[in-house]
Amino acid sequence: MKRTFILSTVVAAVALLFVGCATQSFENIGDPPGFIKGVFHGFILLFSFIASLFTDYEIYAFPNAGGWYNFGFLIGVMLFFGGGGAGAKCKK
């Protein structure tokens, strides 16, 4: 138990060390994608994933407008895959 805790702590510390070195340039962003583009990117998620397997195509736009892009992405995924919860009903 103690050995597992120490090992997981060391792995987490090393991961945080490497993640701390990652940077993203925000200087050349004129108009980051917002809610509407998030809905569109969420809607075409399946096709974007297939394209990303064979090319250098990104599924998720980064940098983006933040929470509104994320919310739009979620709505778009739910629209395409039918995530409204109707399939979770019990049939009698």
Side-chain angles (χ1 to χ4, degrees):
M1 174 80 174
K2 187 174 181 180
R3 182 176 179 200
T4 305
F5 177 74
I6 293 172
L7 181 63
S8 62
T9 304
V10 169
V11 168
V14 169
L16 286 174
L17 177 71
F18 285 120
V19 171
C21 298
T23 61
Q24 179 69 27
S25 174
F26 292 104
E27 296 173 4
N28 297 329
I29 302 169
D31 186 24
F35 177 76
I36 299 298
K37 286 188 180 178
V39 171
F40 178 70
H41 291 161
F43 192 76
I44 63 168
L45 174 69
L46 179 64
F47 307 108
S48 300
F49 175 69
I50 292 170
S52 72
L53 293 175
F54 302 107
T55 62
D56 191 25
Y57 185 78
E58 297 290 329
I59 294 174
Y60 189 81
F62 185 80
N64 54 48
W68 283 112
Y69 177 83
N70 296 337
F71 183 64
F73 191 84
L74 178 67
I75 296 295
V77 169
M78 286 174 37
L79 285 172
F80 185 78
F81 289 108
K89 292 191 303 189
C90 294
K91 295 182 181 182
K92 293 184 179 183

